[in-house]
Amino acid sequence: MHTPTDEQAQAVDVFRAGHHVVLQAGAGAGKTSTLALLAASTRHRGRYLAFNKDIARDAAARFPGTVLCKTAHATAYAALGHRYVRRLNSPRQPAWRTGQALGITKHTRIGDHDVSHRTLSHTVLRTVTRFCYSADRALASHHVPHLRRLSTADEHRQLIDAVMPFATKAWADLHNPDCGVVRFEHDHYLKMWALTEPKVEADFLFLDEAQDTNPVLEQVFAAQRNHAQLVMVGDSAQAIYGWRGARDVMTDFEATHLTLTRSFRFGPRLAEQANRWLALASAPIRLTGTKEIPTEVGHIACPDAVLCRTNIGAMTEVMRLLAGGYQVALARGGHTLSALALAARELKSGRRTTHPELVLFASWGELQDYAEHDPAGRDLQPFIDLVDTHGPDAILAAVDKLTDEESADVTVSTAHKAKGREWSTVTIAGDFSPPKDSEQKDDQGRPIPEPVDDADARLAYVAVTRARSRLDLGGLSWIDDYLTQRPGAIPDAELPGGRSLVGA
């Protein structure tokens, strides 16, 4: 353990004084080490709620024995979930079979679309999952997800009317600990536990990755305020799971707000790159790198990892690298890519697919037309181009050629799946597109680009901070031109020492 920084020492002092704490910890800024310092500074007994099992296991090896390190799900399982162990071990089955058992046996006509019993069944189960992520005490209409092509408010209301009775029936079915027709998942018992308004027995409670906390866990954590000292740690600039129901609970939490801004992962040059995106995302921190780490920014011929914005981008990179003769690994495997390729094969053969994004399309041609002409379908165009170029069978064959990371020459990952990880050398893939041009012109008549979206800036920040020794900006290299074309995008005052990032 290195000598604590001034920021870490301040965190220890505030914690020992008994205050609730929000700790904004930048990429590689030693958040786990800092939490270990806090835990070691007291004899009180604490709990650490980790984002996943691996993080919990790592923390348990570093924290004193007075701190119990578990995931939120493990905590809920010990309290209530173990009652449902028989159902947790039940075999998987298609959503339509579950729907059939709930009484969904025929299609529903909504507007100009036939919503099949398979689609309705899948939507019912997604509705229950969205409820489980929420802090709500009962299922409600806003838990019903929107479906592509049901674009009007009236069509969505009809979908709600069709879904809600079966979603209510599914949630009731899940409460039987011995048997039922709905497959029981870990998120189900977490929600049931939260609804009991549990008291977590501890003198202090650490919540890790707080910027990506689902409302259901936020509610449980905040409810412990009256009997336990609360410490949440995370990085608001890495809040990239909003699409999954998570939200950044740190900014508005009533506590003493502190920061960890020195990164022990990389040097000053990469910190400058990170600060560009932190400023564009209006994040509450700026980073400084460790001077003894000579991180470089420049071209990399053979990186350890290639980070992509989307699963489609990852699929493109996998196929490019395999064609170049590389041994390629894909972070967390190829299930997502296989599912998309299988959906494409079904549509190209004239059959409907059960893929949740594509359930309302009857054919591949219908999907092509939607992506080309409907603004809501533009995000599907790279997927369609990839399938039209290579075919679904070639994509499936590429997935079969993937190897494990230990044996691979290069690992391909989305930026989302790379969060919490690091590699020596990292290249950013080409699917991080620059903002579109606005109708405004500069003094030379050139179009001025639109502002960078906050969510895109946060994802770019995550991507560029995965490297330790060298970063190839690749698909994010447009940031230099962007800052030249929008010189006020990052005010000089935003940077340490008042420096401008333009051309940094």
Side-chain angles (χ1 to χ4, degrees):
M1 180 67 191
H2 57 77
T3 301
T5 66
D6 291 343
E7 290 177 323
Q8 290 175 319
Q10 182 186 17
V12 171
D13 290 342
V14 172
F15 176 73
R16 293 188 66 183
H19 299 292
H20 300 301
V21 179
V22 169
L23 197 55
Q24 288 278 0
K31 64 174 183 176
T32 304
S33 299
T34 304
L35 290 178
L37 287 171
L38 302 189
S41 72
T42 178
R43 295 183 179 180
H44 291 150
R45 304 194 68 82
R47 291 280 194 110
Y48 169 80
L49 296 179
F51 193 68
N52 58 44
K53 288 182 181 178
D54 291 338
I55 294 174
R57 190 162 40 245
D58 177 64
R62 302 172 69 176
F63 286 12
T66 51
V67 181
L68 181 62
C69 301
K70 286 187 175 183
T71 64
H73 284 90
T75 304
Y77 182 85
L80 183 147
H82 64 277
R83 303 174 192 171
Y84 295 87
V85 65
R86 292 182 184 177
R87 295 193 62 177
L88 275 169
N89 294 328
S90 63
R92 294 183 180 274
Q93 64 176 353
W96 69 266
R97 287 190 181 276
T98 301
Q100 191 175 59
L102 291 170
I104 305 173
T105 57
K106 57 183 180 180
H107 74 273
T108 298
R109 186 72 178 176
I110 297 180
D112 296 329
H113 305 284
D114 278 326
V115 179
S116 70
H117 69 283
R118 292 173 180 259
T119 300
L120 192 59
S121 300
H122 196 279
T123 306
V124 165
L125 297 182
R126 286 179 66 196
T127 298
V128 173
T129 297
R130 285 162 60 94
F131 164 60
C132 289
Y133 288 161
S134 77
D136 301 324
R137 295 201 63 81
L139 276 160
S141 59
H142 63 269
H143 298 130
V144 178
H146 288 263
L147 295 184
R148 287 184 186 269
R149 312 205 79 187
L150 298 185
S151 54
T152 71
D154 182 63
E155 287 173 335
H156 187 62
R157 279 194 296 270
Q158 292 181 58
L159 179 66
I160 289 170
D161 291 341
V163 166
M164 284 301 293
F166 294 108
T168 302
K169 189 174 181 180
W171 182 239
D173 172 272
L174 287 165
H175 281 75
N176 187 329
D178 297 315
C179 62
V181 300
V182 182
R183 177 176 167 82
F184 198 93
E185 305 283 356
H186 295 281
D187 286 330
H188 296 147
Y189 67 71
L190 178 65
K191 179 64 174 179
M192 293 175 185
W193 174 66
L195 288 172
T196 67
E197 299 181 357
K199 179 180 179 181
V200 180
E201 296 294 343
D203 298 312
F204 62 88
L205 193 61
F206 293 160
L207 177 63
D208 199 2
E209 298 288 348
Q211 80 283 347
D212 282 323
T213 299
N214 283 331
V216 62
L217 181 55
E218 174 198 356
Q219 182 185 53
V220 172
F221 180 79
Q224 313 306 312
R225 175 182 288 270
N226 291 333
H227 75 274
Q229 185 180 4
L230 303 183
V231 177
M232 57 170 58
V233 61
D235 184 352
S236 289
Q238 294 191 52
I240 59 175
Y241 285 104
W243 54 273
R244 200 175 65 182
R247 75 183 196 95
D248 176 16
V249 303
M250 302 178 67
T251 307
D252 298 326
F253 192 75
E254 187 178 342
T256 301
H257 287 246
L258 303 173
T259 60
L260 298 176
T261 59
R262 178 187 171 187
S263 179
F264 300 98
R265 178 181 299 160
F266 45 73
R269 287 199 65 193
L270 201 145
E272 289 182 350
Q273 296 294 330
N275 285 336
R276 291 174 159 186
W277 301 104
L278 288 169
L280 289 170
S282 301
I285 61 172
R286 300 292 181 269
L287 296 181
T288 58
T290 298
K291 294 180 179 179
E292 292 75 19
I293 303 177
T295 309
E296 297 295 329
V297 178
H299 175 69
I300 303 172
C302 299
D304 296 313
V306 177
L307 304 186
C308 310
R309 186 180 186 278
T310 65
N311 284 309
I312 304 305
M315 189 186 296
T316 303
E317 284 297 317
V318 164
M319 297 190 72
R320 180 184 68 82
L321 290 163
L322 286 173
Y326 292 96
Q327 291 288 313
V328 183
L330 183 65
R332 300 191 195 171
H335 172 74
T336 301
L337 305 189
S338 295
L340 283 166
L342 289 170
R345 187 162 69 183
E346 289 170 333
L347 289 172
K348 288 176 76 70
S349 66
R351 292 179 286 121
R352 287 186 180 272
T353 177
T354 58
H355 195 287
E357 282 289 292
L358 309 174
V359 290
L360 292 185
F361 297 94
S363 68
W364 185 250
E366 195 174 273
L367 179 61
Q368 288 173 313
D369 185 69
Y370 170 77
E372 183 176 356
H373 300 294
D374 192 320
R378 288 175 182 167
D379 61 312
L380 292 173
Q381 194 62 57
F383 166 58
I384 290 168
D385 292 342
L386 188 74
V387 172
D388 286 342
T389 301
H390 299 283
D393 290 339
I395 295 170
L396 290 167
V399 172
D400 286 341
K401 293 179 182 177
L402 293 171
T403 187
D404 59 89
E405 292 195 38
E406 290 74 17
S407 306
D409 300 317
V410 57
T411 296
V412 175
S413 175
T414 63
H416 284 93
K417 292 173 183 174
K419 194 164 82 70
R421 301 192 60 184
E422 59 185 64
W423 291 270
S424 179
T425 58
V426 171
T427 292
I428 307 299
D431 62 340
F432 285 84
S433 302
K436 297 178 181 177
D437 290 336
S438 69
E439 295 181 358
Q440 295 179 296
K441 308 285 185 180
D442 64 16
D443 294 340
Q444 299 178 353
R446 297 174 302 183
I448 297 174
E450 295 180 353
V452 174
D453 180 77
D454 282 356
D456 290 338
R458 290 195 298 270
L459 193 63
Y461 163 68
V462 170
V464 301
T465 54
R466 300 307 97 195
R468 293 192 303 269
S469 62
R470 192 172 183 87
L471 169 71
D472 185 340
L473 277 173
L476 287 173
S477 296
W478 53 261
I479 188 63
D480 294 319
D481 290 337
Y482 174 84
L483 293 177
T484 301
Q485 293 170 286
R486 290 186 66 96
I490 302 178
D492 289 355
E494 294 277 18
L495 293 172
R499 290 184 53 225
S500 171
L501 277 177
V502 178

